[in-house]
Amino acid sequence: MATTAQLFEEPFDADEYIERLAWRTPGGGSKGGAEAFDPKRLLEEFENHIEELKQLDEKIQRRVEKLEHQCHREAKEFAHKVQDLQRSNQVAFQHFQELDEHISYVATKVCHLGDQLEGVNTPRQRAVEAQRLMTYFNEFLDGDLRSDVFNNPDKIKEAADIIQKLHLIAQELPFDRFADVKAKIASKYHDLERQLIQEFTAAQRRGEIGRMREVAAVLLHFKGYAHCVDVYIKQCQEGAYLRNDVFEDTAVLCQRVNKQVGEVFSSPETVMAKLIQNIFENKLQAHVKEKLDETRHSDVEQYLKNLYDLYTRTTTLATKLTEFNLGSDKHTFLSKLIKSIFSSYLESYIDMEREYLRTRGAMILQRYYDSKNHQKRPIGTGSIQELKERIRQRTNLPLGPSIDTHGETFLSPELVVNLLQETRHAFERCHRLSDPSDLPKNAFSIFLLLVDHLCVEHIDYALEIGLSAIPSSDAKNANLYFLDVVQQANSIFHLFDKQFNDQLMPLISSSPKLAECLHKKKEVIEQMEVKLDTGIDRTLNCMVGQMKHILATEQKKTDFRPEDENNVMIQYTTACSKVCAYVSRQVEHVRKSMDGKNVDTVLTELGVRFHRLIHEHLQQYSYSSMGGMLAICDVAEYRRCAKDFRVPLVLQLFDTLHALCNLLVVAPDNLKQVCSGEQLTNLDRNLLHAFVQLRVDYRSARLGRHFS
């Protein structure tokens, strides 16, 4: 059985169990081991082992039954014990309830007895207190203060309580009978009050917070409590302003005092508010007045900078102070303090801002023109000038003599940056210093000054000078600087527009002034665009005039009717070469001067005029066969030049012109077929006929019959 028990080791595995049993049996191994395998012996061993297992099972079953019986018996005993405990607990709970009711009854009796005792004791205490006060009152009446409480400095707190009550009583007594005693009590009252304030001041200097709290609590019922607070406020500022930064010193002082004031006074928010009010009305106001008054009339620019800086730092300080407990409406309280300091300065702010910008802008402009040794020409106004402007816009004629500016555009990026910088600072000051209700109006007035200085006095003036400097269309070797004016004016206006969106729009976006600003901006843009369009149109006319001059001086009649038809070695004429070189330079100039869709618009107009000029120029000559080929080569070169425009319409026009030039060389019998081609079929027959008439052999070959 012991051997069998050893085979049941944990963890139990039935297969492993059989293997181990077989291995222990002599001759029962899988290979027989040292002895040969003996199945009978192994069977016998298995049968014996099965018997042992049955006996072991019976033994274990008997033991289990015994344990189960014991468990049932103990469970019954435990249940009886629990029932006994429940009955005991019920009895204890009943006893507890009875005890609780008894305690409540006794407590009620005790409270009732306490009320009765208090009802008896309170009048008695009042009587004792009255008797005590009468005793002290008699001492004042006799003029001899014998009590120790009035003569012992250590009992000043008790004396203060007595004298405060006597002072209240004395105020109710008739003056004629008790004038002398009332005066003595009042004198002692003020004397004690003075001693308490001195004691508070001494404790504050020693840093004894506990003593300060005790004295402040006694003084709370005295009239001199406010004076105590004033002394505290004055003393805590001593040595606090040693640096040059009054705002930083104030923030540090308030942070330090805020921690202390709650430990000393019963109403710290009132004391803290009074401290801040004292600082604003004395330290800050004096500092602001000193800084601003010294520059108000002598240096307006510095005055405005100081006003902005001081107001900003004051509002920042006020924001920090909102962290402290200053009462229910601390934001309104701080706003009133700020207003009391700056109201006189803010009332006149916008007038000084406008006057400064007006003067500063005029000075910047004058300084620039002086650096150019230029005396500004007065731009005419009134009906005559308006009439001239209308005539110039409609006829494109230069009214008045042309001015030689020597390539000067009279537009200065540095000047523009200075004006915009001054205006940006003005908008920042306006945002900070203007009343919210006046902010849109003030910002709009600053914007009008910017328009006047930048757009009218500078850009518009430069456009006027640029227009006057554009030569007539028949001028020779004219220098065209107006496109440079256009380029710089465009760049400047981008900066102007950026400031409009970044600086002005946030100030007026939610007010009726927005519509006025947008209207004014649109009006300025339209006025400039009219002058820009006029100048560009006249510049294009000058370009075309210069091309016309090149063609007139370089193109010879013999170019298209060479004397020796068989000895023409050139690819295109000199006139064509020079015109194309000139056009390429002007196209590049336009690209540098314009941006966006304006490039295509101007180049389209220039290309159309270029095509019209070449078209009309070619119709002035008659062409031999070789001359016609040379004309085709010229037009091909013109077409190659037209590709630089990158405008489909211009290229299409020169493609058509090239096809027209084929009529100058095509065989007479093929004319009708060529005229019906894709590029020429939609053209007017008279135009085709006019080109055919340019052929030298027009009459001899009777080419006109093809168009009859």
Side-chain angles (χ1 to χ4, degrees):
M1 293 297 291
T3 302
T4 301
Q6 291 176 0
L7 294 175
F8 283 97
E9 295 177 356
E10 292 294 336
F12 178 76
D13 185 344
D15 293 337
E16 179 68 18
Y17 176 77
I18 298 298
E19 285 293 331
R20 291 170 65 186
L21 181 61
W23 180 76
R24 287 169 178 254
T25 303
S30 58
K31 295 182 179 180
E35 301 179 15
F37 178 68
D38 188 354
K40 290 184 178 180
R41 192 170 182 180
L42 182 61
L43 176 61
E44 182 181 351
E45 183 64 27
F46 278 171
E47 289 175 349
N48 293 334
H49 195 74
I50 289 171
E51 288 298 324
E52 290 179 3
L53 288 175
K54 287 180 179 180
Q55 294 174 11
L56 180 61
D57 179 61
E58 290 175 358
K59 182 178 179 181
I60 291 173
Q61 190 63 34
R62 286 194 300 271
R63 187 177 177 187
V64 167
E65 290 175 356
K66 181 180 178 182
L67 290 173
E68 286 179 349
H69 179 72
Q70 183 179 353
C71 182
H72 286 307
R73 187 179 69 252
E74 290 180 355
K76 288 180 180 180
E77 292 176 357
F78 181 75
H80 289 308
K81 287 181 180 180
V82 169
Q83 289 176 356
D84 293 340
L85 289 173
Q86 285 179 338
R87 284 192 294 270
S88 299
N89 183 58
Q90 230 171 9
V91 172
F93 183 72
Q94 289 175 355
H95 291 167
F96 176 78
Q97 282 185 322
E98 292 174 359
L99 182 60
D100 184 56
E101 290 173 358
H102 187 66
I103 290 173
S104 297
Y105 174 76
V106 172
T108 303
K109 290 290 185 181
V110 169
C111 289
H112 178 65
L113 182 60
D115 292 340
Q116 288 180 331
L117 290 174
E118 185 178 3
V120 173
N121 188 52
T122 300
R124 178 179 174 280
Q125 284 182 336
R126 289 177 181 172
V128 171
E129 180 68 16
Q131 183 183 13
R132 187 168 68 96
L133 291 175
M134 288 173 67
T135 302
Y136 294 133
F137 185 82
N138 285 333
E139 291 184 15
F140 279 98
L141 195 62
D142 297 339
D144 183 16
L145 300 179
R146 299 178 301 277
S147 298
D148 182 57
V149 70
F150 293 122
N151 299 307
N152 189 346
D154 296 334
K155 296 185 178 182
I156 189 171
K157 182 177 178 181
E158 185 180 350
D161 179 61
I162 294 169
I163 202 66
Q164 194 268 336
K165 292 176 180 177
L166 288 175
H167 186 260
L168 292 175
I169 293 171
Q171 289 178 345
E172 303 295 327
L173 298 175
F175 182 77
D176 53 349
R177 293 176 57 191
F178 297 96
D180 186 51
V181 71
K182 289 178 71 172
K184 292 177 181 179
I185 292 174
S187 175
K188 189 63 177 178
Y189 177 89
H190 293 303
D191 184 53
L192 277 174
E193 188 178 67
R194 179 178 53 78
Q195 291 181 39
L196 287 169
I197 292 175
Q198 289 176 350
E199 176 64 22
F200 182 87
T201 304
Q204 184 178 0
R205 286 177 178 160
R206 295 192 301 268
E208 297 177 358
I209 302 297
R211 183 58 180 163
M212 290 170 64
R213 181 170 57 249
E214 291 177 8
V215 177
V218 175
L219 277 170
L220 182 62
H221 304 291
F222 279 75
K223 294 179 180 179
Y225 178 73
H227 182 59
C228 172
V229 173
D230 292 339
V231 169
Y232 172 78
I233 290 173
K234 180 181 178 181
Q235 193 160 312
C236 67
Q237 293 182 61
E238 293 178 359
Y241 293 94
L242 300 177
R243 293 177 291 183
N244 293 327
D245 193 342
V246 65
F247 298 97
E248 188 62 29
D249 287 339
T250 299
V252 173
L253 170 64
C254 292
Q255 190 73 36
R256 173 172 59 83
V257 172
N258 183 62
K259 296 178 181 178
Q260 187 182 82
V261 76
E263 301 175 359
V264 175
F265 297 98
S266 59
S267 54
E269 68 280 357
T270 305
V271 178
M272 198 68 195
K274 197 168 184 179
L275 168 66
I276 291 173
Q277 183 177 357
N278 180 274
I279 293 172
F280 269 72
E281 293 178 351
N282 292 285
K283 287 288 183 184
L284 292 185
Q285 188 158 16
H287 177 72
V288 169
K289 182 176 176 59
E290 178 187 359
K291 287 287 186 181
L292 295 181
D293 287 357
E294 67 183 11
T295 58
R296 187 167 191 171
H297 302 292
S298 60
D299 189 348
V300 178
E301 180 182 8
Q302 191 59 45
Y303 168 78
L304 291 172
K305 289 180 179 178
N306 288 346
L307 178 60
Y308 174 77
D309 179 63
L310 290 169
Y311 189 83
T312 301
R313 298 196 68 186
T314 304
T315 53
T316 302
L317 174 63
T319 302
K320 291 181 180 178
L321 297 179
T322 55
E323 300 174 2
F324 307 134
N325 183 12
L326 305 177
S328 57
D329 198 0
K330 52 188 173 184
H331 295 283
T332 304
F333 169 70
L334 291 170
S335 297
K336 288 181 178 179
L337 291 178
I338 295 173
K339 188 175 181 180
S340 68
I341 295 176
F342 290 97
S343 58
S344 61
Y345 303 105
L346 296 181
E347 287 173 359
S348 60
Y349 154 70
I350 193 60
D351 294 330
M352 298 190 72
E353 184 73 81
R354 282 197 297 259
E355 184 59 31
Y356 167 72
L357 284 177
R358 190 178 293 109
T359 306
R360 180 68 176 169
M363 186 193 74
I364 291 173
L365 287 166
Q366 190 59 47
R367 188 169 59 193
Y368 168 70
Y369 293 120
D370 289 345
S371 71
K372 298 294 182 182
N373 294 320
H374 175 76
Q375 182 67 37
K376 279 193 76 173
R377 298 175 59 210
I379 303 300
T381 57
S383 58
I384 296 177
Q385 180 65 20
E386 292 176 2
L387 178 61
K388 285 184 177 182
E389 187 64 29
R390 290 180 183 177
I391 295 173
R392 184 168 64 185
Q393 291 176 15
R394 295 192 178 188
T395 64
N396 220 354
L397 295 175
L399 301 178
S402 176
I403 300 174
D404 186 4
T405 61
H406 303 288
E408 180 61 58
T409 62
F410 290 103
L411 288 172
S412 168
E414 181 181 355
L415 178 147
V416 172
V417 169
N418 288 338
L419 285 176
L420 292 176
Q421 186 80 349
E422 292 290 347
T423 310
R424 182 176 69 83
H425 291 323
F427 280 134
E428 289 174 352
R429 290 192 290 264
C430 178
H431 187 200
R432 175 69 67 179
L433 302 175
S434 294
D435 187 88
S437 60
D438 296 331
L439 177 58
K441 178 183 67 176
N442 294 346
F444 180 62
S445 66
I446 293 173
F447 171 68
L448 291 180
L449 288 171
L450 175 63
V451 169
D452 184 57
H453 289 139
L454 180 61
C455 299
V456 177
E457 295 294 330
H458 191 57
I459 301 177
D460 191 68
Y461 177 76
L463 292 177
E464 285 288 346
I465 295 295
L467 285 171
S468 302
I470 298 174
S472 61
S473 59
D474 56 354
K476 300 177 182 178
N477 299 320
N479 291 320
L480 304 177
Y481 296 114
F482 191 78
L483 290 180
D484 296 332
V485 176
V486 173
Q487 178 187 9
Q488 292 189 26
N490 191 37
S491 300
I492 291 171
F493 201 81
H494 281 319
L495 295 175
F496 169 79
D497 190 54
K498 186 176 188 305
Q499 186 168 85
F500 181 90
N501 294 323
D502 294 348
Q503 302 288 329
L504 179 61
M505 284 295 288
L507 307 183
I508 61 170
S509 57
S510 58
S511 75
K513 286 293 179 182
L514 175 61
E516 290 186 51
C517 286
L518 293 175
H519 176 73
K520 185 64 179 178
K521 179 185 173 186
K522 181 182 178 183
E523 182 181 303
V524 170
I525 292 174
E526 289 175 350
Q527 290 175 356
M528 289 187 182
E529 284 180 344
V530 168
K531 294 183 179 180
L532 288 170
D533 291 345
T534 302
I536 291 171
D537 188 58
R538 288 175 55 193
T539 300
L540 295 181
N541 282 345
C542 287
M543 291 179 184
V544 173
Q546 188 67 22
M547 295 181 221
K548 188 181 294 185
H549 174 70
I550 295 172
L551 292 172
T553 56
E554 300 293 336
Q555 196 84 71
K556 299 177 177 58
K557 291 185 178 181
T558 56
D559 286 345
F560 302 116
R561 294 182 67 180
E563 295 177 359
D564 187 356
E565 293 277 337
N566 298 320
N567 194 25
V568 178
M569 304 299 293
I570 59 175
Q571 295 181 347
Y572 40 80
T573 64
T574 303
C576 172
S577 174
K578 291 187 177 181
V579 167
C580 287
Y582 178 80
V583 170
S584 295
R585 290 196 302 273
Q586 301 311 314
V587 168
E588 187 63 26
H589 197 179
V590 170
R591 290 196 185 281
K592 290 181 179 179
S593 305
M594 307 286 174
D595 60 359
K597 295 181 179 179
N598 293 329
V599 177
D600 292 338
T601 302
V602 175
L603 288 180
T604 299
E605 183 62 27
L606 177 60
V608 169
R609 296 187 189 190
F610 175 37
H611 168 266
R612 185 186 304 123
L613 173 66
I614 300 301
H615 186 277
E616 293 173 355
H617 173 71
L618 291 174
Q619 289 184 314
Q620 297 175 11
Y621 300 92
S622 58
Y623 300 87
S624 64
S625 176
M626 184 54 67
M629 292 297 295
L630 194 57
I632 291 175
C633 291
D634 276 4
V635 173
E637 185 65 15
Y638 291 136
R639 184 173 61 176
R640 184 196 62 76
C641 181
K643 290 181 180 179
D644 294 341
F645 286 73
R646 302 173 197 166
V647 178
L649 173 61
V650 176
L651 190 59
Q652 181 183 350
L653 290 173
F654 277 94
D655 285 343
T656 303
L657 183 59
H658 189 271
L660 280 171
C661 288
N662 286 332
L663 298 177
L664 302 176
V665 298
V666 70
D669 295 337
N670 295 334
L671 271 175
K672 186 171 289 188
Q673 179 183 354
V674 173
C675 290
S676 303
E678 181 181 353
Q679 291 181 322
L680 301 179
T681 185
N682 294 325
L683 295 182
D684 185 11
R685 302 289 288 179
N686 293 328
L687 176 61
L688 299 177
H689 190 193
F691 251 83
V692 173
Q693 285 178 326
L694 300 177
R695 294 172 57 136
V696 175
D697 60 351
Y698 174 73
R699 294 186 181 279
S700 61
R702 299 176 61 192
L703 299 179
R705 59 189 174 83
H706 294 285
F707 297 92
S708 58

